[in-house]
Amino acid sequence: MKLSGGVEWSLHCCVVLSQAQGPVPTARLAELHGVSKTYLAKHLRALAQAGLVNPTEGRDGGYVLTRPPEDITVLDVVQAVDGKEPAFRCTEIRQQGILAAPPEQCLAPCGIAKVMADAEKVWRASLSGVTIADLAATLDLPALEKVLAAPSN
């Protein structure tokens, strides 16, 4: 399964936002992670459209989480950035070529489609069992809090 780089960036931003005392500007989030502000802004907009973060206006504007970090799962972030479509899309190849089966023999998913769907269910269940709070618990929080408190460059 291949996820976009935006998923990683978005997860890191959500973890930072879970520890921030107020809104964190896009430029600060980009600076903290050494990533492109423009590319990061695109993913923050996707998180906002999914209702995971809220942009705030003004001099002290930036992004905040819309709910407690224990209520936002890794799957929520993955789906916000990369969409909800399944990773595997069956094209019914068994109905093509010299081994083609007639459509009436293909009413149920084949073994390949079934195993891929089962794997996706397990993968999604695993991601939905981990929250932003769980990820934040793996960080050096005093170091993060110190960086967040320091002025941006």
Side-chain angles (χ1 to χ4, degrees):
M1 181 139 337
K2 185 172 182 170
L3 300 173
S4 73
V7 169
E8 179 183 11
W9 293 18
S10 297
L11 286 166
H12 278 281
C13 287
C14 286
V15 170
V16 167
L17 294 176
S18 77
Q19 301 305 305
Q21 299 301 312
V24 181
T26 304
R28 182 67 168 148
L29 289 167
E31 176 188 30
L32 291 172
H33 295 107
V35 298
S36 161
K37 177 184 168 188
T38 305
Y39 188 61
L40 183 60
K42 170 186 165 186
H43 297 298
L44 290 168
R45 282 191 299 276
L47 293 174
Q49 288 174 343
L52 301 178
V53 300
N54 190 35
T56 61
E57 300 289 330
R59 185 178 68 83
D60 295 326
Y63 285 88
V64 295
L65 294 179
T66 58
R67 51 189 195 252
E70 47 279 335
D71 293 342
I72 300 173
T73 69
V74 172
L75 183 61
D76 293 332
V77 175
V78 168
Q79 289 179 333
V81 175
D82 279 357
K84 296 182 179 184
E85 293 295 317
F88 177 79
R89 288 172 190 84
C90 178
T91 61
E92 281 300 342
I93 193 171
R94 62 189 171 161
Q95 293 182 35
Q96 302 172 27
I98 60 173
L99 295 175
E104 59 272 9
Q105 289 181 1
C106 301
L107 299 177
C110 71
I112 294 169
K114 182 171 177 0
V115 75
M116 298 304 267
D118 291 347
E120 177 124 4
K121 285 179 193 170
V122 172
W123 176 77
R124 288 179 184 269
S126 177
L127 296 182
S128 69
V130 179
T131 67
I132 297 301
D134 296 330
L135 295 177
T138 69
L139 296 179
D140 180 355
L141 294 181
L144 177 59
E145 289 167 1
K146 183 177 177 182
V147 170
L148 284 172
S152 62
N153 294 331

